[in-house]
Amino acid sequence: PYLMEYPHGCSEQIFNRRLVSMVGAGVIGKTTVAIAVGHRLSHHFDGAVFFVDLSAVTDPELVLTTIGSTLGIMLRTQEPLLSLVTFLENKKLLLILDNCEHVIERTAAMAERVIETAPETRILATSREALQVNGEYVHLLYPLECPPENGDLALTEALRYPAAKLFIERAVA
């Protein structure tokens, strides 16, 4: 299916760069693509793919707690970042951090520290802007091309456009 073909470049970069930020406008499909990447790479991480939804986090200080909770660990309140990187330092896993834009500074600091200290951990972040940390690869996500609004197209012609193809796949599913 089309959706599983799309994240191929992003998947490749996770192994080359370890920290990939998928950047694009709101409601463009970053979360959907990130989930597809997680599914695609799950076997490389023996199923250790963790999806962290940061959209509901209102206080940047809760970013680490939210990540720890998703990983099933309790972080020390005195030094939560040290506690997190200590846990991750020998773990082979993919951490998907979704909707980072409103907690970008705290997320960026954590991601940079994890990449420095946990060589087997990979991070895929989705955001409207890049984290802007060392070692980050920015994967820009653009809107899918759509058929013209007032075009009178046959179904076979409309399916040449990626947006229409994805729409049909989702509707059938």
Side-chain angles (χ1 to χ4, degrees), residues 10-168:
C10 187
S11 301
E12 296 283 316
Q13 290 304 322
I14 287 174
F15 293 108
N16 297 332
R17 305 288 179 97
R18 295 188 44 231
L19 169 58
V20 175
S21 291
M22 190 180 317
V23 176
V27 196
I28 199 169
K30 296 180 296 290
T31 300
T32 302
V33 173
I35 290 169
V37 168
H39 283 287
R40 176 184 211 124
L41 299 179
S42 180
H43 69 280
H44 290 290
F45 295 97
D46 297 323
V49 175
F50 296 89
F51 182 86
V52 183
D53 182 4
L54 296 174
S55 64
V57 176
T58 56
D59 181 354
E61 293 304 312
L62 296 177
V63 167
L64 297 176
T65 306
T66 303
I67 294 169
S69 176
T70 301
L71 293 170
I73 61 170
M74 200 70 164
L75 301 178
R76 289 178 283 179
T77 54
Q78 295 287 329
E79 297 182 47
L81 183 55
L82 178 60
S83 183
L84 178 64
V85 297
T86 300
F87 173 79
L88 292 174
E89 67 186 354
N90 296 314
K91 301 286 190 292
K92 180 180 177 182
L93 60 84
L94 173 61
L95 194 57
I96 300 173
L97 305 174
D98 192 41
N99 293 297
C100 299
E101 54 273 347
H102 64 290
V103 288
I104 197 104
E105 289 178 18
R106 188 67 168 150
T107 304
M110 180 280 311
E112 188 168 40
R113 184 79 181 276
V114 167
I115 294 305
E116 290 171 356
T117 59
E120 294 297 317
T121 297
R122 304 290 192 263
I123 297 175
L124 173 59
T126 71
S127 181
R128 294 181 186 188
E129 60 184 291
L131 298 180
Q132 299 183 6
V133 299
N134 289 331
E136 175 185 30
Y137 175 80
V138 178
H139 180 89
L140 297 175
L141 195 63
Y142 297 103
L144 298 176
E145 190 178 358
C146 296
E149 281 187 40
N150 52 358
D152 211 8
L153 302 175
L155 179 60
T156 56
E157 292 171 321
L159 287 177
R160 291 185 187 143
Y161 291 89
K165 190 174 180 181
L166 180 59
F167 174 77
I168 295 299

